[in-house]
Amino acid sequence: MDTTKTLAPTAAETDAAEEKAAPDTAATTATDGAAPADGATEPAAEAETPAETEAAAAGDADEEFDEDAADREDSGHGSGVGAAATSVVAAGLGLVALSGSWVSRVIAERQTLIGQIESVNATTAKEKIAALYGDAWHMTALVNGVLSTLALLLAVFVLARPAFGTPGRVLPVWVRSVSWAAVALGVLGVLVFGLMYFDLLVALPTAAQ
């Protein structure tokens, strides 16, 4: 029987095998060492730069400023503070005109004094009545009629203002209610004092002939 003996590797062959395996081991080590570097690079790429941080902060500040401006608009002029004040003034003027204003009373008294002076030269009773009373009544009706007209115009302006302002803006309910009340008082005042001025509501008294 033949027996084959395995020869032990010589020293030269052993060194060649180690030199061949050495590059593979070095490549594996280099690859393993590069992996953490790649992993460390990804968070750095995801981190925001200082410029981006400042831009984001500026954007947040702009949004807060816009919200504050909108709140001020809604709580101030946007909510109709001027319209509310105008509607109250209009309603007050209409009420004062119907009840009789101090201005109309003073002007009527002045006109009465002028009528007394003019009545000296009056030749008929009708002329004296007109000079003493008629002119004073007409001046009262005229002044109060002007106040009623002013109240009516202010109320109409308040009601029509939203149509020419910011789209979608609606006046509060109480402002519209006061404005419509002012419109009613103004229309009533213009009607009443117009009829009084032309002696259609209350005619001047006539003296017996």
Side-chain angles (χ1 to χ4, degrees):
M1 181 176 66
D2 296 334
T3 302
T4 303
K5 293 183 180 180
T6 303
L7 298 177
T10 61
E13 294 176 352
T14 302
D15 293 339
E18 290 178 355
E19 290 177 359
K20 183 178 180 180
D24 297 336
T25 304
T28 304
T29 305
T31 304
D32 295 339
D38 295 339
T41 305
E42 293 178 356
E46 295 177 358
E48 295 182 354
T49 62
E52 293 176 350
T53 304
E54 293 178 358
D60 295 339
D62 293 340
E63 291 179 358
E64 292 178 357
F65 177 78
D66 294 339
E67 292 177 357
D68 293 340
D71 293 339
R72 287 195 299 269
E73 183 178 0
D74 292 338
S75 61
H77 179 71
S79 62
V81 174
T86 305
S87 65
V88 173
V89 171
L93 284 176
L95 186 60
V96 167
L98 286 175
S99 61
S101 65
W102 176 81
V103 177
S104 64
R105 184 169 64 252
V106 170
I107 293 177
E109 291 175 354
R110 179 180 181 276
Q111 190 62 39
T112 299
L113 179 60
I114 295 175
Q116 291 175 353
I117 297 173
E118 294 177 350
S119 65
V120 177
N121 299 325
T123 58
T124 62
K126 184 177 180 180
E127 291 179 353
K128 289 183 178 181
I129 292 174
L132 294 174
Y133 303 104
D135 293 341
W137 291 356
H138 292 163
M139 291 302 298
T140 301
L142 179 62
V143 173
N144 289 332
V146 170
L147 293 179
S148 297
T149 303
L150 182 59
L152 178 60
L153 292 177
L154 289 176
V156 171
F157 172 78
V158 171
L159 293 174
R161 181 67 179 84
F164 301 95
T166 303
R169 177 179 295 174
V170 179
L171 294 174
V173 176
W174 74 270
V175 175
R176 284 178 286 168
S177 300
V178 174
S179 299
W180 280 113
V183 169
L185 292 173
V187 171
L188 181 60
V190 170
L191 180 62
V192 170
F193 295 120
L195 295 176
M196 288 181 61
Y197 184 83
F198 294 103
D199 297 331
L200 299 176
L201 183 62
V202 180
L204 288 173
T206 58
Q209 298 296 331

